[in-house]
Amino acid sequence: MADLRDLGLSEYESRAYRALLDAGPATAKELSEASGVPMGRVYDVLNSLERHRLARSQAASRPKKYLAVEPDAALDRLLEEKQRELDEQAEQYEAVVEELSTELEAGDPPDEQFWTAALGPEETADLLLERLSAADDRVVMIAAAPASGLDIGAIGEAVTEELEAALERGVDVSLLLSEEVPAQLPESVGERYFDRMADHPNFAVRTAPGLRGTFTLVDDAEVCMEVPSPVDPDESFAMIDLKDPEFAGDVRRTFRERWQEASPLSL
């Protein structure tokens, strides 16, 4: 159940405001009796309500009287204050992340083989986006239909955003797509491609017939391989991320061969 405390008021402040609404103009003593706020605390509580602009006082009266601000206005003011606090916290967190991003660095890729896997469409997408965001030098993607990390559904736009961010970091990006894939992409992906990526010097897209499998090669050191669902080949079942320089080298050579045979993308 919602409570004024959810918007930042203390228990005493919440009780005092509600009592003021019911009682109308009231002295501190009257409010203490109506709300159950101890007399020793009631003035601090009333001063706080005035700071929050939830109550007004009539200083000319003796003793001083207080009146609650109308609920709609009071709730709007509490919401504005909470949103301002959240914005300030977000700025603080962003500053911390920016500082830590320059301080924390990943070590060199391991020489020995290491692999991990994610199961299900959402986890598969998260793993792929994570590895794209970690690229420093080069991203190579082969997307074959029908099962594709660039499929028309959940992650087409998200992948495009990560590739654009990689380009901004100076990463070379090469996409080799099955001839069927461009027609399956959301219109927004095509718009982003033409407006912001197509002319980038580090970006290239080609299409080729007969591609099989979908994988992403990151920094010539690790390979993300999509495993289609055995029940529905149009859906991703798992993503395997394999860090193995020797296997990555084989993938790179295979990609180069297919790349030479492919045609530049034309939409």
Side-chain angles (χ1 to χ4, degrees):
M1 182 177 178
D3 191 275
L4 287 170
R5 288 176 294 176
D6 298 329
L7 293 175
L9 295 189
S10 69
E11 173 66 22
Y12 281 168
E13 290 167 345
S14 175
R15 285 160 56 179
Y17 177 76
R18 289 179 181 274
L20 275 179
L21 285 177
D22 293 336
T27 65
K29 182 178 180 181
E30 291 169 342
L31 181 63
S32 175
E33 294 172 352
S35 65
V37 176
M39 193 63 194
R41 294 291 313 280
V42 72
Y43 285 104
D44 289 338
V45 170
L46 284 168
N47 288 336
S48 179
L49 290 180
E50 286 194 278
R51 285 196 303 272
H52 286 297
R53 297 183 299 158
L54 306 182
R56 301 191 305 274
S57 61
Q58 185 180 9
S61 63
R62 292 291 183 272
K64 191 175 185 180
K65 289 190 175 183
Y66 298 84
L67 180 68
V69 170
E70 290 77 6
D72 287 346
L75 292 174
D76 285 344
R77 290 168 182 174
L78 286 174
L79 179 59
E80 289 174 3
E81 188 170 331
K82 212 62 178 170
Q83 288 174 330
R84 186 166 52 251
E85 292 176 1
L86 292 174
D87 290 340
E88 291 174 356
Q89 289 180 355
E91 291 177 0
Q92 293 172 0
Y93 289 136
E94 288 172 0
V96 170
V97 168
E98 184 175 355
E99 182 176 346
L100 289 176
S101 66
T102 60
E103 177 186 335
L104 301 176
E105 294 184 1
D108 295 331
D111 293 331
E112 63 183 38
Q113 185 184 94
F114 178 83
W115 68 274
T116 187
L119 298 178
E122 292 185 7
E123 291 77 8
T124 293
D126 287 344
L127 178 57
L128 176 59
L129 296 173
E130 173 197 309
R131 302 323 303 152
L132 290 176
S133 68
D136 291 322
D137 301 313
R138 182 180 294 106
V139 169
V140 166
M141 299 185 73
I142 287 185
S148 171
L150 292 175
D151 198 13
I152 196 169
I155 65 170
E157 293 185 31
V159 167
T160 306
E161 289 178 2
E162 284 295 346
L163 293 178
E164 185 178 357
L167 290 170
E168 293 175 356
R169 296 195 303 273
V171 176
D172 291 326
V173 177
S174 300
L175 305 184
L176 181 58
L177 308 178
S178 171
E179 290 180 336
E180 296 88 350
V181 169
Q184 298 175 349
L185 297 177
E187 183 177 346
S188 58
V189 173
E191 291 175 352
R192 184 185 292 267
Y193 166 74
F194 280 112
D195 293 343
R196 302 169 66 174
M197 299 172 66
D199 295 330
H200 198 287
N202 294 344
F203 184 66
V205 185
R206 296 186 181 183
T207 61
L211 293 180
R212 298 181 62 185
T214 296
F215 69 81
T216 302
L217 177 63
V218 178
D219 292 338
D220 293 335
E222 64 178 299
V223 181
C224 293
M225 297 174 289
E226 185 178 288
V227 181
S229 168
V231 177
D232 185 355
D234 290 341
E235 294 290 335
S236 296
F237 173 72
M239 176 74 72
I240 298 175
D241 178 44
L242 176 62
K243 296 184 179 181
D244 185 333
E246 183 176 351
F247 179 71
D250 292 339
V251 171
R252 179 68 178 172
R253 285 188 290 272
T254 300
F255 169 80
R256 285 174 178 168
E257 293 174 0
R258 298 306 306 268
W259 184 260
Q260 294 300 322
E261 302 167 357
S263 303
L265 174 64
S266 59
L267 293 178

